[in-house]
Amino acid sequence: FSAIEKNRLVVLFDLSECKYVASYGYAVFLRIRRMCNDFELKLAICGCNEMVKKGFLAVGFNKLTSMFNNHTEARKYLLNND
């Protein structure tokens, strides 16, 4: 991932092959979000199917983390200099 070449560490979860996330899974994602905040890392999630996306919306995760339809959109966001 070219972010490392630019001395930036980022976290990207590509969930395109994930069919379901249990409630504990959402808790893990929230914990990872907090860790990323602590270390000032950008975090993005991409490729969620409708069921997984609804789960993230239900727990309000979409307000905490950027979510994208595909890997290309997420990568563009993560490599942005902002």
Side-chain angles (χ1 to χ4, degrees), residues 1-70:
F1 206 105
S2 59
I4 293 173
E5 296 168 10
K6 297 179 181 184
N7 295 321
R8 261 184 284 156
L9 295 177
V10 298
V11 178
L12 172 60
F13 286 100
D14 183 347
L15 301 181
S16 57
E17 294 188 30
C18 179
K19 305 221 182 302
Y20 174 79
V21 176
S23 59
Y24 186 77
Y26 293 112
V28 170
F29 278 112
L30 288 170
R31 186 174 303 151
I32 291 168
R33 170 73 264 165
R34 283 190 214 110
M35 290 171 55
C36 287
N37 285 347
D38 291 345
F39 292 99
E40 298 180 0
L41 302 176
K42 276 189 170 181
L43 170 67
I45 295 175
C46 70
C48 298
N49 67 32
E50 284 304 311
M51 179 184 287
V52 172
K53 194 179 293 184
K54 285 180 183 178
F56 278 118
L57 293 173
V59 297
F61 201 76
N62 60 311
K63 296 176 185 173
L64 303 173
T65 299
S66 299
M67 298 180 70
F68 300 91
N69 291 323
N70 58 56

